[in-house]
Amino acid sequence: MRVKINQLQEGCIIQKDVISLTNKPIVPKSTIISSFTLEILHAFLVKDVYVEGYMANGQPFIPEEVMEEEKQTIIEEEVYTDTFYESYMKAVKEFGKLFLNWQAGSPVEIGKVRGLIVPLLEKAFQHQHEIMNLHQYSTKEDYLHHHSVSVGIIAGYLGRKLKYELGDCNQLAMAGLLSDCGMSKIDPKLLLKKGNLTTLEFNEVKKHPLLSYKMLEKLPLLKDSVKLAVFQHHERIDGTGYVLGISGEKLHPFGKIVAIADVFHAMCCDTYYRKKQPPLVVLERITQDSFGKFDVPLVSLLSQEVAKLSLSTNVKLSNGKIGKVVFIDERYPTRPMVEIDQEYIQLSNRKDLYIEEILH
């Protein structure tokens, strides 16, 4: 829907690129409106924008006034077409229902799982710019539901970038979606605990890959590669993971893909026990702090897909300043050279600064 700037609220989601005097958008579509975004729109004297019918928290957005020429089309758009965001939120809600059923003792029904994730993955392929920003929609309260759906989408997408057949991409998406199904067998109080878990509590949660596998192992319609990926998604190449501490060649390729998708999305999200971090910072931590734990080509692929930086891309740095990318070193895709007020900053030499947001 098209609304005036004074009708916007923080949490609204931009539906179409906002273009000003240049060909590049000053605010790209799918951006979640913040106070900073509002400042940009006012600074460029933007009068109105197109926004989704829902806000980032999943609540409907109902402005007091809609631009006159849009009023007749809003109902048709919302009735007959779902945006990727709306499809994603419906999938998260549906997964929540499945999770409640599993907590009540119901078995995993692969038909329902496939019907939830495969159409969403297909739509995600058509909206690739959305995939690495799914963490924006996660909430502390529904983190596990968002996480499962998002890991499925990211894993399936990585499979596509690795030139896997579509069927294998779908299998990867199901593996990601089901990787935490065993959490339904963990005491709900632990899943909702605010603050850090004790050692005993964490050891209990660490059983979930095995519990997930047990829920899936006798399902004839599910491939062994999916079951292995679910069981191994917390294993690490150097043998420091769990449940078995296996390493190297013993890890299935699907397990390695779901593992990197899992840790990337988790670190980008707010939870009751951890603060979210900007995606590019997460990638640096995965690259540096977790060196040897994840498949290096996969980390490189994920970095390229998350950054998607190009010359003249506008970025917001951790010090709040806005700059423009002027040079990209392929060795450090998350740390390009940035120009700010005619000053050139090579981020690979400035560990105190990082890219907080890509503005395109």
Side-chain angles (χ1 to χ4, degrees):
M1 69 181 75
R2 185 179 172 199
V3 298
K4 294 180 178 179
I5 293 300
N6 60 8
Q7 296 289 304
L8 289 178
Q9 302 173 27
E10 292 187 30
C12 290
I13 302 172
I14 295 294
Q15 188 179 49
K16 297 182 180 180
D17 289 342
V18 181
I19 306 294
S20 185
L21 301 177
T22 65
N23 291 328
K24 295 180 71 66
I26 57 172
V27 181
K29 65 180 179 180
S30 301
T31 296
I32 297 177
I33 294 291
S34 64
S35 58
F36 176 72
T37 317
L38 289 173
E39 288 179 16
I40 291 178
L41 293 173
H42 284 295
F44 279 88
L45 303 178
V46 176
K47 296 181 179 180
D48 53 76
V49 295
Y50 288 88
V51 296
E52 304 282 6
Y54 289 80
M55 299 206 290
N57 61 6
Q59 296 298 314
F61 173 54
I62 307 175
E64 295 178 6
E65 179 183 359
V66 177
M67 300 293 285
E68 188 65 34
E69 62 268 34
E70 291 294 311
K71 289 182 179 178
Q72 297 303 315
T73 60
I74 289 174
I75 295 178
E76 294 180 10
E77 290 178 355
E78 292 183 347
V79 170
Y80 297 109
T81 63
D82 276 346
T83 64
F84 173 76
Y85 169 73
E86 291 167 336
S87 296
Y88 167 79
M89 291 300 294
K90 288 179 179 179
V92 170
K93 185 175 181 180
E94 188 60 33
F95 180 83
K97 294 177 182 178
L98 293 179
F99 193 84
L100 284 174
N101 289 339
W102 299 336
Q103 285 181 314
S106 298
V108 175
E109 297 181 57
I110 293 304
K112 290 185 177 180
V113 170
R114 185 180 180 85
L116 185 158
I117 196 66
V118 170
L120 184 62
L121 180 64
E122 181 179 352
K123 195 158 192 173
F125 287 160
Q126 300 168 10
H127 300 271
Q128 295 184 16
H129 61 283
E130 304 266 17
I131 295 174
M132 296 304 170
N133 293 315
L134 293 174
H135 57 274
Q136 297 181 76
Y137 308 133
S138 180
T139 64
K140 291 181 180 180
E141 296 75 18
D142 291 327
Y143 162 73
L144 187 58
H145 303 161
H146 281 274
H147 182 64
S148 297
V149 174
S150 295
V151 171
I153 295 300
I154 295 171
Y157 178 69
L158 291 176
R160 178 168 181 166
K161 288 296 175 179
L162 291 168
K163 310 297 184 183
Y164 282 17
E165 296 289 338
L166 179 58
D168 284 335
C169 293
N170 291 339
Q171 295 295 316
L172 271 167
M174 287 196 288
L177 184 79
L178 292 168
S179 58
D180 283 346
C181 67
M183 286 289 197
S184 62
K185 307 306 177 186
I186 302 292
D187 185 346
K189 293 180 181 178
L190 295 185
L191 304 183
L192 298 175
K193 181 179 178 180
K194 298 180 180 180
N196 293 328
L197 300 177
T198 66
T199 301
L200 287 176
E201 290 171 337
F202 184 54
N203 286 337
E204 188 67 22
V205 171
K206 285 169 65 175
K207 296 177 183 178
H208 78 270
L210 176 59
L211 296 173
S212 298
Y213 178 78
K214 287 183 175 180
M215 291 173 65
L216 307 175
E217 65 176 331
K218 295 182 180 179
L219 298 179
L221 298 179
L222 198 61
K223 290 187 176 182
D224 288 343
S225 56
V226 175
K227 298 173 185 178
L228 276 175
V230 168
F231 184 58
Q232 295 180 353
H233 77 281
H234 278 292
E235 301 287 1
R236 300 293 180 255
I237 290 177
D238 61 1
T240 59
Y242 58 89
V243 180
L244 298 180
I246 56 179
S247 61
E249 296 303 316
K250 295 179 181 179
L251 297 175
H252 193 281
F254 279 22
K256 295 176 184 178
I257 293 172
V258 175
I260 193 71
D262 173 78
V263 75
F264 169 72
H265 183 264
M267 292 176 68
C268 290
C269 293
D270 258 335
T271 68
Y272 286 126
Y273 52 87
R274 181 182 55 237
K275 288 286 186 181
K276 67 179 179 181
Q277 301 175 67
L280 295 182
V281 176
V282 167
L283 286 170
E284 290 183 10
R285 288 197 59 183
I286 291 174
T287 302
Q288 297 169 10
D289 300 350
S290 301
F291 181 76
K293 297 182 182 296
F294 299 98
D295 184 77
V296 174
L298 274 178
V299 174
S300 177
L301 173 60
L302 184 62
S303 297
Q304 294 169 15
E305 291 303 312
V306 173
K308 288 291 186 184
L309 293 172
S310 60
L311 296 181
S312 299
T313 297
N314 293 318
V315 294
K316 178 184 177 184
L317 299 185
S318 53
N319 60 4
K321 293 186 177 181
I322 305 298
K324 181 171 64 176
V325 175
V326 294
F327 175 74
I328 302 169
D329 188 335
E330 292 183 359
R331 297 173 301 172
Y332 310 104
T334 64
R335 288 191 162 271
M337 181 182 289
V338 177
E339 178 189 359
I340 301 178
D341 299 328
Q342 298 184 331
E343 177 187 359
Y344 295 92
I345 301 173
Q346 180 59 58
L347 291 178
S348 61
N349 298 327
R350 290 288 302 272
K351 301 304 180 184
D352 59 315
L353 282 179
Y354 57 84
I355 294 176
E356 189 169 85
E357 187 178 351
I358 298 174
L359 303 176
H360 297 283

